[in-house]
Amino acid sequence: MSLKVLKFGGSSLSDAHQFQKVAAIVRAEEERRYVVPSAPGKRYDNDTKVTDLLYASHAAAVKGEGFDEAFARVEKRFNSIIADLGLALDLTAEFDTIRRNIQNGASVDYAASRGEYLSGIVLAALLDFPFVDAADLIFFTESGAVDDERTYEAFYELTKKHDRAVIPGFYGRAADGSVKTFSRGGSDITGSIVARGVRASIYENWTDVSGFLVTNPRIVENPRPIDVVTFRELRELAYMGASVLHEDAVLPVKAANIPINIRNTNEPDHPGTLIINNIRAASSSPITGIAGKRGFSIIHIEKDGMNKEVGFTRRALSVLEKHNVSFEHLPSGIDTMGFIIQTEALAGQGETIAREIGKAVDADEVELISGLALIAVVGRGMVRAKGIAARIFSAVARANINIRMIDQGSSELNIIIGVDEYDFRSAMNAIYAEFFPQD
Ligand code: ADP
Ligand code: ASP
Ligand code: MG
């Protein structure tokens, strides 16, 4: 029988009502057999995530301050979930152990991981599934990477023993035997490893939006969800700021060719977004998504005939290397070249670096332009469709916005434009409206 792995994010498990929705989703299909919960997240805007309460408890303990208050909030969150669900479950002994361990100097990773651990125990009781600790399944090497061999061996053993299980997200076991977490948002990674480990047919990632949206909902009002996106497109979009899924969550399932389905716990009938490997998959629009970020600068270099000069780029690059600065893009023409760099990475040295580059290549002119936003228009359909770039440029021009930079990736998967930061919002909206007019 095909089987599905489901990961539920913090907002999907923020209170008893959300736990009930999760249980209904799992029970709706017999294939939904391995479930990865996050720690309870925010119930409302100003609420605090259980994970943050645990970080706060640990920080207070390290300072030798009392952490009863923060820890009591953790206990209260879980106790009210258990009571509202009507479960005959008592976590007192677990709370005591965790409190004692934090008091006695347990690591910050241990403290932070307990949100997922407890959430897993509650969800396992609710579903009547076995609880299997992630520290007995996911192993890290000395260097902190996932130890694939040990990990997937453990999953092989797991599937022989349990045909269903709840496995807490966010953590595993370090080489020294202690608990180690992934970086924040890391339950997405656990879900991906579990999906690969049990050879799932699909990895369902349940969150609070009906899929990966075409663009950032904080910049464009009510953008529509993407129905299908490839792993490579997703990577381009995520790199430019579209974050729904932890970026390290893609690798394990991509290697095993398991699609990810982003779904909404609060709208379970919505098909959400399917993330797949196949770059040739049909797409209804030439554009899959639009993502963007503020905070970039360009070092713009002009020199007649630079394209004929052997070693020109290397000389310019060696200045960046000397200052330990990496660049994001390098659009170039016959007599011009521009290094696009994150303004933060210049650490206030932008003018100096520009001057040094000017000297190193004997430029006719060098200019530092800061206050730039980059917008990536991404789509696997772009290779075949003609005139996409023209549509982007004219949409932006119609909004009276000046394009400062254009770069088309060699993969023809994206076109990147640079605009002044104060034009960012309007440019994103103009591009969105061009390709996704209101029906
Ligand atoms: P979870 O707690 O389920 O892991 P996250 O908060 O990590 O959920 O991720 C979901 C959030 O990502 C959404 O609520 C939304 O605010 C944000 N987000 C940012 N960019 C996008 C996008 N392009 N599409 C959908 N959601 C996005
Ligand atoms: N609970 C952890 C966090 O808040 C992990 C996760 O939610 O994925 O970062
Ligand atoms: Mg998340």
Side-chain angles (χ1 to χ4, degrees):
M1 183 173 56
S2 79
L3 61 90
K4 300 182 174 180
V5 167
L6 290 74
K7 176 261 174 180
F8 291 90
S11 55
S12 301
L13 293 161
S14 58
D15 61 19
H17 186 53
Q18 292 298 94
F19 266 79
Q20 267 155 349
K21 289 185 192 170
V22 165
I25 289 166
V26 175
R27 289 182 191 128
E29 291 184 27
E30 177 57 24
E31 293 96 334
R32 291 180 169 156
R33 290 196 275 137
Y34 295 91
V35 183
V36 176
S38 289
K42 293 183 181 190
R43 290 159 293 184
Y44 40 85
D45 261 2
N46 288 327
D47 198 14
T48 311
K49 289 174 150 196
V50 162
T51 308
D52 290 313
L53 292 171
L54 290 163
Y55 277 118
S57 302
H58 184 267
V62 165
K63 279 193 234 149
E65 295 166 3
F67 62 94
D68 286 351
E69 201 191 308
F71 198 75
R73 287 175 67 189
V74 174
E75 293 182 66
K76 207 171 147 213
R77 290 286 301 267
F78 282 106
N79 282 336
S80 73
I81 290 171
I82 292 168
D84 294 347
L85 289 173
L87 290 174
L89 180 68
D90 184 359
L91 291 179
T92 311
E94 296 285 357
F95 293 142
D96 289 347
T97 307
I98 297 167
R99 194 185 301 100
R100 200 174 340 107
N101 288 339
I102 295 178
Q103 187 71 59
N104 294 338
S107 70
V108 62
D109 280 21
Y110 167 82
S113 73
R114 296 303 89 182
E116 269 71 12
Y117 173 79
L118 295 168
S119 190
I121 293 177
V122 176
L123 187 60
L126 179 65
L127 292 170
D128 195 21
F129 275 27
F131 169 85
V132 181
D133 194 352
D136 296 327
L137 288 170
I138 295 177
F139 297 94
F140 295 95
T141 61
E142 295 276 352
S143 66
V146 173
D147 184 339
D148 280 350
E149 224 179 292
R150 245 188 115 187
T151 299
Y152 292 115
E153 178 65 29
F155 275 102
Y156 178 70
E157 296 299 325
L158 169 83
T159 52
K160 285 202 293 190
K161 235 189 287 169
H162 298 294
D163 68 352
R164 60 200 66 228
V166 171
I167 301 158
F170 194 34
Y171 71 96
R173 194 183 296 284
D176 67 2
S178 64
V179 165
K180 177 177 160 57
T181 64
F182 294 107
S183 55
R184 295 301 303 265
S187 298
D188 289 334
I189 311 173
T190 309
S192 184
I193 293 172
V194 174
R196 182 172 179 186
V198 303
R199 299 169 188 278
S201 57
I202 196 160
Y203 167 25
E204 294 182 345
N205 187 290
W206 291 81
T207 180
D208 62 352
V209 274
S210 293
F212 204 98
L213 305 173
V214 165
T215 189
N216 189 333
R218 269 157 279 180
I219 293 171
V220 175
E221 204 179 311
N222 212 5
R224 71 170 78 171
I226 298 173
D227 46 0
V228 179
V229 60
T230 65
F231 286 117
R232 275 175 61 197
E233 289 174 307
L234 183 79
R235 210 174 132 62
E236 302 275 356
L237 291 166
Y239 184 70
M240 287 297 282
S243 57
V244 185
L245 201 66
H246 193 295
E247 58 176 13
D248 296 338
V250 166
L251 224 59
V253 282
K254 184 170 184 265
N257 210 2
I258 300 167
I260 306 176
N261 189 192
I262 310 278
R263 299 285 290 265
N264 190 348
T265 301
N266 307 314
E267 203 186 336
D269 293 332
H270 194 291
T273 299
L274 198 61
I275 309 171
I276 55 168
N277 242 337
N278 187 359
I279 189 77
R280 278 177 296 280
S283 60
S284 50
S285 160
I287 296 307
T288 305
I290 307 158
K293 272 204 273 201
R294 296 184 172 88
F296 291 91
S297 296
I298 308 185
I299 297 178
H300 177 80
I301 312 162
E302 278 188 39
K303 185 176 185 184
D304 279 345
M306 68 162 68
N307 62 324
K308 293 213 186 72
E309 225 179 277
V310 176
F312 184 92
T313 313
R314 184 183 49 76
R315 281 194 289 281
L317 276 173
S318 66
V319 176
L320 289 183
E321 199 176 338
K322 187 185 120 201
H323 287 273
N324 202 18
V325 171
S326 64
F327 69 93
E328 307 287 323
H329 300 280
L330 180 76
S332 59
I334 301 168
D335 302 320
T336 64
M337 177 184 285
F339 288 108
I340 315 283
I341 299 168
Q342 287 192 19
T343 305
E344 210 175 38
L346 289 171
Q349 298 292 301
E351 293 288 354
T352 314
I353 294 171
R355 226 178 303 118
E356 283 181 28
I357 291 179
K359 246 197 232 151
V361 300
D362 192 20
D364 298 336
E365 217 181 298
V366 184
E367 192 188 359
L368 172 74
I369 307 165
S370 29
L372 206 73
L374 294 190
I375 299 174
V377 183
V378 177
R380 63 190 180 282
M382 236 149 57
V383 192
R384 269 159 284 136
K386 286 204 179 64
I388 301 303
R391 279 176 71 188
I392 297 172
F393 304 151
S394 59
V396 174
R398 272 198 310 275
N400 262 325
I401 295 164
N402 191 10
I403 298 184
R404 308 294 301 256
M405 185 280 295
I406 298 164
D407 192 23
Q408 170 148 33
S410 54
S411 62
E412 284 192 58
L413 202 61
N414 64 16
I415 292 174
I416 293 176
I417 64 165
V419 297
D420 288 322
E421 278 175 345
Y422 54 79
D423 286 330
F424 178 54
R425 189 172 282 271
S426 328
M428 290 277 283
N429 276 280
I431 299 169
Y432 181 78
E434 168 67 26
F435 291 97
F436 301 94
Q438 296 302 318
D439 315 308

